[in-house]
Structures are given as structure tokens and as C-alpha cells.
Amino acid sequence: MSVAVHDAPDRQRILVLGPVTGATETALLAALESAAPGAVEVSLFDAPVVPTRTVLALAALFDRNPAARLIVYQTTLAYYLNALGIPSRRHTWPPPSATPVPAVRALALGGSADSLDKFISIIERLPEAAVPVFLVQHVSENHPHLLDQLLRTRTPCRVEMPHHLTPVIPGTLYIAPPGHHMRVNSGLLYLTRDRKQDFARPSIGLLFESLAREYGDGLVAGLLCGLGQDGLAALPKIRAAGGLVLVERADECQATALVKQAAAAGEYDMLCSWRGIASLFAAAASPNALPDEVLIRTFLDGVHARYGYDYRQYAPGTLQRRTLRMMDTLGFPTFYAFQRALLAQPPLFERLFQELSIGVTNFFRHPRQLDWLRRELFPWLASFPLIRIWVAGCASGEDAYSLAILLDEAGLLHRSRIFATDINPVLLQQGSNGLYPATNLHAFRDHYRQSGGQGDHSRHLARQGSCLAMAPHLRERILFFSHSLANDGVFNEFQLILCRNVFIYFQRTLQEQVLALFARSLHQGGYLVLGARESLPPGTGQDLFGSVDQSLRVYRRR
Amino acid sequence: MNPTAPARRFRLPAHWGVRTRIALVFHGVVLLSLSLVGYYGYVNAGAAYRGKALESIAGQTAEIAQAITFFLREVPRDLRSMSQFHALEQLLYWEELGMEEKTMDWKITVIDAFRSLVAAREEIHELCFLDREGRERIRVLRDPTTGQVQTATGAGLRNRRPNIDFQVALALDRNRTQVSPLTLAMEQGVPRQPLLPVIRFAQPVIGANEVRYGVVMVEILAQSFLDMVRRADAGGDHRYYLISATGDYFHHRDPERTWGHLRGLPGTFRTDLPAAFAALQRSEQGAAEVGALVVSHHRIQPDPAVPEQHWFVVGLVDQARVLTQLNSFGLVFFTILAAAMGLVLLATRLALNGVLNPLAAMTRQLEKLGRGEVTPEPVAYPYRDEIGRVLASTNHLMDTLGNLTRQADTIAAGDYSKRVRVLSADDLLGNAINNMTAVLDKNRQAHARRTWLAEGLGGLGRELAGDPSLEELASRASAFLCRRLEAGHGAFFVFDRDDATGKPLVLMGSYMFTERDTVATRYALGEGAVGQVAREKQPILLRNVTRAEGLVTTGTLSVPPLVIIAVPLLYQEILQGVLELAAFTPLDEVQREFLDQAAGMVAAALFATLQRDRIATLLAKSESATRMTEDRNRQLQEVNAAMEEQRQQLQQQTEELQQANAQMEEQQQQLQQQTEELQQTNAQMEEQQQLLEGQAHDLTANNAALRDSQAELSARARQLEEADRYKSDFLANMSHELRTPLNSIILISRMMALNEDGTLDPETVRRARVVHNSGNDLLRLINDILDLSKIESGRMELHPESFDTGELAAELQDLFAETARERALDFRVEDAFHGPVVGDRNKVVQVLRNLLANAFKFTPHGTVALRCETGDDPQRPLRIHVADTGIGIPPDKLELIFEAFRQVDSSISRRFGGTGLGLSISRELTRLLGGSLQVASQEGEGSTFTLCLPTGPERTAARPAPLPPAAPRPALPAGTPAILVIDDDPNFLETIAIINHRQGLRTLQARSGQEGLALAAAHRPAGIILDLGLPDMDGDALLARIKTDPGLKEIPVFVISSRDRNPALLEQGAIGVLQKPVTAEQIQGAENALLAAMDRPHGAMLIVEGAALRAELVADRARPGSRQVAARSAAEALALAAGDAFDLVLVDHEPPDMDCAEFCRKLLERQPDAKIIIYAAGEIGEERVAQLRRFTDSLIQQAPQARQRLLEDIERFLAATLAQTRQHDQPGSPPPRRDSLLAGKRLLVVDDDPRNLFVLSEALEQHGAEVLSALNGRKALELLQEEPVDLVFMDIMMPEMDGYETMTRIRAIESLKRLPVIALTAKALKDDRHKCLEAGADDYLAKPVDYELLINMARAWIGKPR
């Protein structure tokens, strides 16, 4: 059970771990119900959001017992509850940046069989580096090695196949020449023809060991796939010296022996896709501590490979600003440190995910548009025996409830279904809760009138303490589901799709892709409604949709 | 030390001299160390030699073993790629289904892949796939001598069921590999020569449903890694072996011994070197010395799963060979050692003698001195070296010693005052003793004075100790000081810092002090001696005081003091008070010093006392203040708490505000960018607008002209069509009308001619026979005319079937044997084709019958021959000759004979009879069959008609043989309709181009979707033939693109693809779907449909009236030119539909006499292509909608804009249907495939998307399944508890109860735990899909659902044992 009740001498403490759903919620409600009349302290550790009944139970607890205290660890929940008038204290876990990240002074990359393509791709993504980069590829001694020529055309950095005793210069890529071991000592490169190490010459291990000695905690080393075990022995030494070891995930490799052994030995700081390695390398090599758009793009590649969420088609400006903001809030001095933490810690990504989904909305937003829908479109909708409406990117559901209210007043709600979807499960749960701050009531009333609402708005919402609760007859017609416009497909057929203030965060290609999805999801002649400041992208968008009222952003499937 | 205790340490005998001892120790040490070094070196060198040998051997064995292991690990990987090869799986899958063409296709792919693998890896000897019976199905092998890769066929495929590797591998799990022992390739049980070492690897092939299809087996030539051992073994002392676990030689330096066990030769490693073999067994790898051998070995594990099957790489070297070098080294070393020893002995002896002789002399002299003799003994030692100087010093020492003794006695006798005689300025000892005496004297006096001072100060300290009050301190201090200094008076003034009177010096204590009026108790600074001292902070001394006032009064007398001393009391240079003393004797130096120090001490004590007093005062003050502060604090805290709360609220508000601000900025920026972009776009748009306006002006003018001519043309065309139709109708009617009376005439005249009752005279019988014959002729003529008109109007239908040419020939022989006999002609029939043909058999017979009838008719004598053979036209491989030896046809009439109603010579008809229609019908029929008919003739010698026919899809279309390079076809005139073919198969493109050319159509070819779109937009073809599997995009998507593009959506699309027929394509707007392979006729049919779709006449509409729907609703607004028929009841409508074709049917939801759904079902039975719109007065429930949705997606409920929508839908449907000609109209197109893959299975589809529900149900039903449906999870659960179901398809995003919850609940019901459930999800992320599995789904399908996948998955899960 993830709900624990402690009777401390001075107060009763109710501790809740994990998301508040199912059995946890039942247990929590029971605990709140039977809470002692004295000082009660409720701590919600992990839940980013709580369901309606819990919200109401918490509100009731405060009504009954003003001495009660609520401690919340997730920012989203704290904002949500505070907005709903439930006083909570927000505690934060120690910030993840607490351990300072040593400055990067050198990068090293080694790879054996089957790694050449990834090797080149990683180097391609490097910006003009501020540190030296050392590269080892296992290659045959008998063939000319063209890696330096291959790379020269792909990177802004200087690429060198060094000679014996070449001094190390930052910003240069050094490639171990075939048939020679490459080592670094006191700023000089040493090339030797010692016997093979683990059947390899050049040896990854020898280079890594010498770099660990030379650069200590300033070294970031990446090991790509391959066979054999060259380099394995050096990994613990790098880590012992404080350096960072990145090992490629075996599941994306053909030749897995090397990385599998490295993973099994546990001598790594991060197991990541080569895209993740590329992203960290790019940030580590960059002379700028803060990300530019190119770095962000590489970073999004890494995020996609690590977490599966694909933000690569989102507007880069937004992503950059959001990332900077988050770095600033959490006190990460460099983009590299930020990435390092983010790729290693899923909760931090959760944070970024929340940061990236912008959930600004309110009731009866863009009232003129809603008024138009009510007057012009509802009579058309009425001719369908079953009315299906999709509110795509619904955030916390205000649009869906606004529509439901208008439909109800037009007498259509009982045969309508509103599918409200969003990518952010926290917002979806908030929407599904149907609870909103009572302070919104005034604005609600105004917009309601402007949208052409004539009825008694209090039919649709009931005041419960400091919250406004949406009436059950609205809630049962709205289905909240998680759906990613960027990744997921058609799931039903609709007469109307409302997608407001979502496109602004997408790049053009993604916009077109989503429009095609909408076109396939719409009934013949169905309508699409966009946000007040959006418009159809020319080209595909206008091929698929015709404009009905440009000023109101209403379009119809051709 | 106890002298009786025995000496523990080793000692040399005491009588031995220094010489003996040094020599002994020196020689001993040198000898011992040299021997030790020598021995150690020798031993180490031996170890190093052995170690080197070991290391080199071990390194080599390890390297070989690693290389071989690496090599062996590679093989299973390759093998795995083959055993899990998609194409192989496909091959087996289709083979099981018995789809031979698909099987062949995939088999070719698999063989290609096998061949390329074998070609790529030289060491592969043979790669084969064995089915589960052990038969070799595919075998690709490399000729070991030439290196060529061959594919075995027929007899080359062996049955290898007894092969142990096969049997083991077949039972293995997926991804496991069976590895055979390393062995020799055998031929009839004996090793093949030359020896060919091989090793086999085998892996099972396991299908998706865990079906074991067989085994993929590869035979590897072991030579490649045996060579590694051989190379290492090539020379030198080291020998390398590769042996089996039992010691058999895989490699031995002597080739005769290699493979001994297989060649029946005696001797294995185990018997040759048993000790070494035993050492191998102990570890995986290592090196050891076994007897005289250094042995290193490394175990190789060819199959990690079978540890007992292993080999060893063994390296050997003989120790004796290694150690010969070491022994010669030892000999040299010991010789050098002995020589060095001799040299050392000689040198030591010479050196010791020179030094030790004078030393012995000196020893003797010192021995004398010891006995008290001071007489020096001269020693003859000529050298002035160290020893010489030691001898001289010894003598001098004796002299000095005597002098000193005497001088010491003198000093010891004298006192302090006496001074010793100093011998010289350097006599340090004498001077020192004198100085010491003087200093001792002075120290004694100083010590007495310091003692007095210390005692005094100590006393004062004791006096001031404790915490005396100020007065106590003053009196104690003044009393003590006066007593100590023997003073008569003492007064102690304290400096009051806070004084307000101006006289800060206050008398605080005194000694023997008598108060006088004249002497004040308070002084100002500078007042009197006390004040002066206080100001200057310097003591004042007054001598010879005579004033009477200052008398010192004792009990007995009053005496004036002699001196008065006033001392300031300074603590840290700050004035604390003043002490005044009056004394009778002047103070000496010690007393003054005492006073000074005492004053300091007193000042310190005074300061401490004053401080203490002050602190006490302050403490009291602060205590009262603290009490006040506490009160105030309490009030403040309350206020603070209130503020804290406010601040927290404020902070939260600020945070939210910040967030809001960030978002606002986000939006602001977005807005700016958009505005900029918008402005730019606007500017561009305006430019384009201007351009467009100009163009539009030109266009309007052109269009007007164009429209006029178009109208004229279409009017003409309509007239022509009408005329044509009249002709056909007339002919059809007339022949029908004619045949009825003719039938009677023929029957009756026949009866008359037979004259069975004998009532007619012969003349009448003859006339009746003439009537009968003429009637028959007339009937034939009418039939021919009818055929011809049918063909011309395109109403002649083909019914393809498969038949054999031999059978055809036999039938014709039977048919004409009688005629030949009658006419005494030789009739020869020959079939050299011998093969199955697909075509309309009756039509072929009809043509041949015509030709033969003609031949017989025009051949008075001679021969008529029919011969079937294979022709050289790949399109029409069947060639049939009909040759005769008749009258022949003149060359100028050759073309004429095929024209209707024409014969070579009108006289001929009179001579030979006949309608003259036979040949033209034959030619038309031939054309219809896709064949050709030619004639060659020599007048008077006979004619030969050659009929060439296609043989149907089996021979040509399964995989169209690469066509000869396209013959340059004469360009067709511009304006001819064009067909766009989008397909990535070049052969198919070429085939269509040929067909099109024959049909007089232009062809546009596109090999990718993008290319297709571009061509369609550029040329606007009359129709598109579309393949679904395109390289760049899916055909579905392309179809959707075409159908949503306003410029293209009018172009009809026909899908010809090798995928299964998917009804959803028709939904998407394709006018027809064909599954490959297709025949030329089918393609022609498709093209006809495409052409027809463009210019079919306007649609017909049937309106079934009811409560809500009235014909007037649409009367005035419906599409101009369309025909409308109203029916007042469903029954009436069905009756109408039986006779007439309607494109669109409007139905009231509640027709008066029938259920609407029932009506729709019946209507579609009659007219499967009709589109339906349902119009309802009131609301329709959800279930009902789902039910009706099967018939139409246009359900309109009465509402303010319902009529508008109705008109929209009518327009849409008519536009669509007019652009379509349905699949079923097409000649030769197969009916939708209905098979029974899922027969007898009950499937439940749970989805609230009616569109999806419909498509899924349709698809599943087509395969024989019974499909139930539910609109949400709750209903599905109810249904499942009532009815048995074999499989459930479950949507996720549903109302009432979503898919996750439903599946969880299903799994909670005991009886449904094992029911297969497949989730339908629009989600693409892996995590989301896994969520389905977690909720209880067995599998998932992505939306939109792929038709083939759906069926396959349904079959797989139903077939799976649960």
C-alpha cells in the first residue's frame, strides 16, 4: 500500500507515495475520512496530479480542520491545488544539479566493428569544438585509412592524423593512424608500434587510459559498438579518475560483443543511443555554455532515442526558450551539465516534458468563434444522429467544457461525444477532474455571454468550496484520452475538430502532417477550427481544407 | 653485563690477530656474495628462458584460438539471418497456403539470398534449407575446386532425414544453433579425396506461430581456420596441433597423421602424449611443463551450448632445446668467478702487511702509558701519514697531562678570593675558574634583593585576593604597602570616572591617617600633589617635609615624615587612582621598584573591582530591559507570522505570474513572426493575384469558345449513340420477333417434309423441304446478325475457363467427321500444342467451327486440316491453322472476306450458299478473345486461316517474362485519351503500354507515387491504374491524396495490386480493385471502366418516401439532368429497383411498410452498387446508427440544415458514382474473394468508430467469420458473458468504458481469461502499445488497420492453442 499513516506525538501524518489512482486513492480517501481532528499533515510525494474525489476530500479536510497541512512535492500539483484554493506547501527535492559537473577538457570516442557510420554521424553533429577530440577506429593496418578525409568534409573542426610528438591543440580532432597506438601525455601525442592490445592496434584502451591520466575528471569518453574487448579495461580507470563514460546501447548495434560486455561490467555512467552520445558530445565540445538551435536539434535527437518522445518537429525557438528557462530555474550552469542530468534522470525529463507542453487556456476562449459555431455550425451538426467532436490539444479541458455547455443549450449534447485529447497526462487528468478555480467564475460568465450563452450558467457548474465543479451531464459526454498529434494516428470519425493554439508550437512539416491526420479523421465536409492567431499553412493545408470564415479560423474539409 | 654469562654472539677466537680476522671476514664476504649472485643469475636465466618459450607458445595458441572462435561465432549469426529471413518465412507461409505463384516468387528471393551469402563467404561449402521431413528444399553449394556457386535441383536435392544435425536442430529453440563435430566431407562413407574438412551449423526455422518449418544448414570449409594452425606450425621448434576433445588430430605437422581417426590410422594425441593430454583436460587454457615438454593449450568451444564438444589448440616445445643455451652460459659464468677470487686473495695480503706493522708498535707504547709510564718510546716509522701523526700526538699528550694535574690541585685548594695563575692568554681553563668565582659572589647579593621584592609582591597579591569591595581594597592596599615600606602615612584615592563634582579623586582608604580640616578627601585633577600625580600620571617625590600638618601620629608621638611619595595607579595607561605614602626614610632602589610594581598590581585590582561594580550595575539595568524586550518580541512575532503567510501567498502568485509572463512572451513572439510571414505572403499573393487576373481574362475568352464546340460535340455524340442504340435495339427486337414465327415455320415444314402419315404427295414434300432448308438458312443468318450486333455493341460477354487443346481438337474432329465423310474429303486433325489454355472455350470453338465450315464448303476435293501449335508471338502463343485445298481467294479480295455481308464473288454465294457473315463474326470474336486471325491463300490451290490466341494468365501473367525491348510504337495523335499507370514493376508497365496501344490509348508511366502525382497533375489522364506497394509511399495514401486533391479527384482510379482485395479502397474512391495476376482482358476491362467513368450519363435517383422524406425536398435542387423516381413504399421501391438501375437511393428512415435496414439489405441485393442516403425524422440511437452504417455513411436527421446537407450528399454521391463503374460490371473480373479461413469463427469487434467497425466487419466476414459488434466496453462485456466468442478486436478510445478498462475486466472474469483479445490503437509509441498488453491484450494492431495484417492476426490467434 502506498499510503501510510503515522501517528506522531504532535500530529498525524499521512504519507502518499506514487500516483494517486485506484487502490492508493481509496486508501487515501479512507485515511482523510478518518483523520484525527487535531493537526494532520498530508504529504504527496510523487503524484503530479490527483483525481476529483481526492481534490474534494482534501478541500473538505481543510474546511473541517483548518490546522491541517498539505505538503506537495510536484510543482504541477502544487499549482493545481493552490489554484483550486487548497493551501499546499511545495517542497522540492534537492535540485539535481547539486553535484557540480567538472569542466570538460577532452573528448574521446572509440569504436570497433560496425561503428563507422555512427562515428561519422556523431562527429558531424559536433560544433566547432573548444576542446581536443581523440578518435580511434579499429581499422586494418594494410589499407589506407580515409577517416580523416571523410571527416574533413563533415566538420568545422580541424581534423588531423597526427605524427609522433604532435602537441595537442584544443578544437582539433585527432585520429589514431592505422597500425599505431596513440597515447597522450603532458600535452603531447605519442604514436608507438607496440604489440597489439586485445588484438587491436590502434587500441582504444591504451588511448583511454592515457587520457584518463592526462585529463582526469575533464574527460568524456564514448565507446561505440564492436567486437572483442578493446577498451573495456580502461573504462574503470576513466571513472576512477572522475571522467564520464558513455557506452552505446547494444540493442541498436549489429556487433554487440563490446558494448554488451561493457554494460555487463557496469563500468559506465550512461548507456545511451549513439544519438545521445552525439548530443552530449556536441554540448560538451561546444564553447558556449548555452544551447543554440543546432545543439537543441541534436539534443532532441538524443531525447527521442532515450525517452521516445519526438519533439524534433516542434518550433525550435520555443524549445530553446523553454530549455533555457528550465536550466535557469534548476541552476544548471551549462547545457552540457543539464543534458547529462536529463539523460540520466527520468524525473528531470518529466519536468522538461511538463515545461514543454504549454497549457494556456480558459473558458469560452475566442468567444466570437464559439458564437459562430453555435449559430452557424450547430444546425448542421444537428443533422447527424451522432455528433462526434474532437478537441485536439485540449490542455486542461476548458475548450471541451465550453463546447459541451453550448451544445447542451442547443439541445444536442445528449447525442454528442467530445473526444478531448492531449499529449500531457497531467493536464488530461485535470481536465477529466472537471474542477476549476472559483476565481474564474467572473471571467467565465462574461465570456459565456459573449459566446452567445443565454441560459443559466449555474446549471453547468456547481460551486464546491473554492472550486467550480463541472456538472455530471457535461462530464459524461467528454472523453479525455492521451493522444500525440505528432506520433499517433486516426482513431475515430468526427464532424468537427477544434484544435486551438497547438499549431503555433509545430514546425511546418508537422503542421502539414497533422492537417492530413485531421482530414482523414473528418467526416465528408467536416469542419476544422483553429486558434485565433493561427492559420492554415499554404500548400497541403489549403489543398485539404477550404476556408469558411478566415477571420474566425473556420475551415472545411474539401 | 654479568661476566659469567656465556657470550651469546658469535666471536672469533680471541687469540686471532687483526690480520687473520680481516682476511677471514673479507674473503668470506666476497666469496659468499659472488656465489649468491652467480647462483641467483643462473636460476633466473633458466626461468626466463622457459618463460619466454611458454609465453611465445601461449600467445600463439591464444591468438589462433581467438581467431578460430571469432570465426565460428560469425557463422551462427549469418545462419540466423537466413533462418529468420523474412522471405523464407513468406515462402513457407505461402507454401502452406498452397499459393504457388507467391511461393515461387519468394523462393526465388530466398535462393538469391542463399546464393549471395554463399558467394560472399568463401568458407561456406554448402547452404541448404531442409523441410521438416529432412528433404533438401533449397541447396546452394560451392564447387570446392572452381569456387563456383551452384544451386542444386532435382536429383541434387537429397533426403537428409537421418542426419543427426538435422534432427537435433529441428528440435532446437529459436536462435539456437546446432554445431556438428569437425569432420571430413564423405563420399559413400569414406573421406572424399582430397581431404575436405567441414563443419556443419544448423538452425531451426520457426514461423510466427511457433511452427517448425525445417532447418537451415550450412556446411563450412574448415580449411580456412585449419590453415591458421598450419601457418603457425610451419617451422621452428614449436609445434602446433588442433585436436578434438578425445585427442584426434585435426591438424598434425605430418599430413599423414592428420584426420587419422577418420582414415583408420592409429595414433592420437592422447596415445602419443598422454601426460600432455591429461594436462589439457584440467583447464580451459594454460601452459604447463609436462616432463621435458612445454605445453600450452587453449580450448575452443564451437558450440557454447555443448561444453563437452570442444577442441584444443595445442603448442609444444621441448625443454631441452630451450635449456641448451642456458647451460653454456653457466659454464662461462663459473670460470670467471674462480679467477676473480684468486686475484682478491693476493691483493688483500699485500695491503694488510704495510699497515699493520707500525700499529703493533704503537699499541705496545700505549700499553706502557696505561701502566703509568710516561716515557715515550721512539718508533721508527718513516711516513708522515696518519699513522705517523698518531705516534707523535701520543707522546705530546703524555707531557700535557702531567702539567694539568698540578694546576687543578692549586685551584681545588684555594677559596673564591684566590685566583689561579694564568699560564698564558690562551689558558682558558685558568681564566674560566677566576671568572666563575666573581660571578658567584655577585649572584648571592642580587638573589637576596629579588627575594625581598618577590615576597613583597606575593604578599600584596595575597592581600588583594578575593573579591574585596572598593573600600576594603583601598585600605588593605595602603596598609600593606605602608607596612612593607615602613611608611608612616598612606592615603588611597580612587579616580571616579563618572564624577560630577569636578573632584574625581576620592579618598577611599588610609593608613595611620588622621583627618584634618586642611586636608581634603576629594581632589580635582591638578589639585595638590594627588591631583598633580593624577594629571601627569607620574609619581611625585617630596623630600624633607617639615610642615606640621603632615605629622605622623603614633600612640606616643607625632613626627613629620621625611619623604612623601605620590604614585598614580595606572592600569593599561588609564588612571585608576592615586596612592600617597609618607615615610621617614628615603626609599632605596629596591623599595622604589617594589612600589612601582605594587602600584601596577593595585591598579589592576582596582580596575577589576571597579569593572565588577560597573558590570553589576549594568546587569541590573539589562535585566529590566530584557523583560521589556520580551514583551515587545512576543507582539512582533505575531505580526511576523501574519506577514510570512502573506509573503508565501505572494511568492506563489509571483511564480504563477512569471510563468504567465513567459507564456505571453512566447505568444507575442509567435505573433510577430506570423505577422511578418503573413505580410510577406500577402505581398506575394497580391502579385500572383494580378498575374492571375490577366490570365483569367484570356482564359474566359478561350473557355467560351471551347464550351460552344464542346456542347456541339456532345450533342453529336449523343445523337450518334442514340442511333447506335436504336440499331442494336432494333436488331435485338427484330431477331427475337423473327425467331418466334420462324421457329414455327421450321418445325412445321420439317414435319411436313418427313411426311410421317404419308398424306402428302412427293411434290409437296419437296416444297416443304425447300421451306425447311430456307427457314434454317434464315435462322442462321439471324443468329449471325445477332452475334455481330452483340459484338459491335460490346455486349458479347466472355466466360473464361480452362481447357485443353487436345480435347478441343477431338471435339472438332467429331463435329466435322460426318461432313468430311459426306463430302469425301480427307480431314486431318493434329495437336502439337498439348496444353491447358484459359479462355472462352465456346467462342474459340465457334470461330474454328466457322473456319472449318467454310473450308469444307469451299473445298470440292482434297484435304481440310486443323493443326494446333505453339506460335512465336509471346502474347498469343497458341496458333491454330485451318488449311484446305479449296478454291482459294484472289489476293485483292483477301481483306474483303472479313467484312460483313461480303463474299469474294456474289456468284459464290449462289454456288455455295451461306450468309457471308461467318468470317466477320470470327474476326470480331477473335479480337474479343485478344487474338488475331489471318489468312493466306493462293487462288485455286487453297487457303490457310491462322488463328493466334493468348493462353491466359497462367502462362504469361504469373511473372511476365521480361518483354522484348519495347518496339517503337507509332505515336498516337495528341488528344487521344491517356491512362496513367503507377506501378514499380517495369514489366507490368510495358504490358499495359502494349495493351493500350492496341486499344488506341496513350500510356503515361510512373514508377513512384510522387512521379505519379506529378504526371497526373501535368497531363490529367483519363484514368489511373494504381499499384498499392510503391517504393516511396503507400498506395492507400496516394489514393487519398488523389481523391482529396481538387484538381485530381475527378480522375477515376482503378487499383490493380497483388494485395488482397480490400473493400475499404472502394470506400476511398477507387472505382474498382483487381488482384494480380491479371489478364490482358481484365486490364482492358479496367481501362474501359476508367474511360466509361469519365463520360457516363447523369445518374438516376430513387426516392423512397416516408414520414420525413418527400420527393419535393430534392425536386428543384437536385443535380440537373438526373432522373428522379419516387416510390411511396419500400415494396414499390424494390419493385422499381428490380427493373431499373439507380445510382442513388434516398430512403426515409421509417418507410411505411418495411424496416429501413431490411429495405437497404434487399435493395443492395438487387443493386449492389447503389448509394444510399437515409433521412430520419427523429433521433436514431447509437446502435441503430452502427447498424445502418453498414449501408451508408450518410445518415441525415431532420434539422435546420438537414436539407442543405441532403443536397450536398446527393451532389457528392452522384459525382462519385458517375465517375465510377463498379467492379461487378467488368467482364472477366473475379467476384470478391470469399474464402473460409475464418469459417465458423465468432469474432467480436468493439469500436465506437462506425467507419472502422464497418470495414473490419466486412473484411472479417469476407473470410467466413461471423462478426459481432459492440459500441463500447460495457456492451462488449455484456455480450461476452452471454455468447461464446473466439476472438475480440478491442478499440481503446471508447465512451462509457475505454479499452484498457474493458480488457482489465475481461481478464478478471475467469471464463474469459484465455480469450484472445487484440487491441486496436492509434498510438505509435512503444510504451503506449505496451500499455495495451499490460491491460490484458494479447497483441495489438495499429490504426488504420492493415487489411492483410488483420486477417493474418485473426487467423494466428484463433489457431493458437490456448
Side-chain angles (χ1 to χ4, degrees), chain A residues 90 321 383 388 482 489 533, chain B residues 655 666 671 674 1197 1248 1322:
Chain A
R90 179 156 66 88
R321 282 191 298 279
S383 74
R388 283 199 175 77
S482 150
R533 285 191 288 270
Chain B
E655 273 172 35
E666 201 81 67
L671 194 69
Q674 279 175 354
Q1197 179 176 327
D1248 88 315

Side-chain angles (χ1 to χ4, degrees), chain B residues 551-621:
Chain B
L551 290 181
V552 175
T553 312
T554 69
T556 51
L557 51 93
S558 296
V559 202
L562 187 64
V563 273
I564 288 171
I565 299 172
V567 191
L569 298 175
L570 297 175
Y571 177 74
Q572 289 178 349
E573 297 300 312
I574 298 168
L575 186 72
Q576 304 295 339
V578 177
L579 183 68
E580 192 181 304
L581 299 177
F584 299 102
T585 51
L587 300 182
D588 63 12
E589 208 175 322
V590 184
Q591 282 173 321
R592 288 280 296 282
E593 193 183 336
F594 172 72
L595 188 61
D596 277 352
Q597 289 190 22
M601 275 177 72
V602 173
L606 181 59
F607 175 74
T609 311
L610 284 172
Q611 275 318 95
R612 202 166 55 234
D613 286 356
R614 192 167 297 146
I615 286 168
T617 323
L618 281 176
L619 197 67
K621 272 187 197 163

Side-chain angles (χ1 to χ4, degrees), chain A residues 72 78 93 111 148 195 212 216 219 243 334 363 383 386 452 480 483:
Chain A
V72 171
W93 299 108
D148 56 337
R195 58 175 292 173
L219 177 66
T334 61
F363 282 103
S383 74
L386 288 179
F480 286 91
H483 184 277

Side-chain angles (χ1 to χ4, degrees), chain A residues 95-141:
Chain A
S97 60
T99 50
V101 175
V104 179
R105 291 188 292 134
L107 296 176
L109 187 61
S112 180
D114 182 42
S115 65
L116 185 64
D117 288 351
K118 301 168 191 169
F119 217 85
I120 294 174
S121 306
I122 291 174
I123 299 304
E124 266 178 345
R125 288 164 166 75
L126 276 185
E128 242 174 302
V131 296
V133 184
F134 301 94
L135 308 172
V136 186
Q137 261 279 318
H138 282 168
V139 284
S140 160
E141 303 197 356

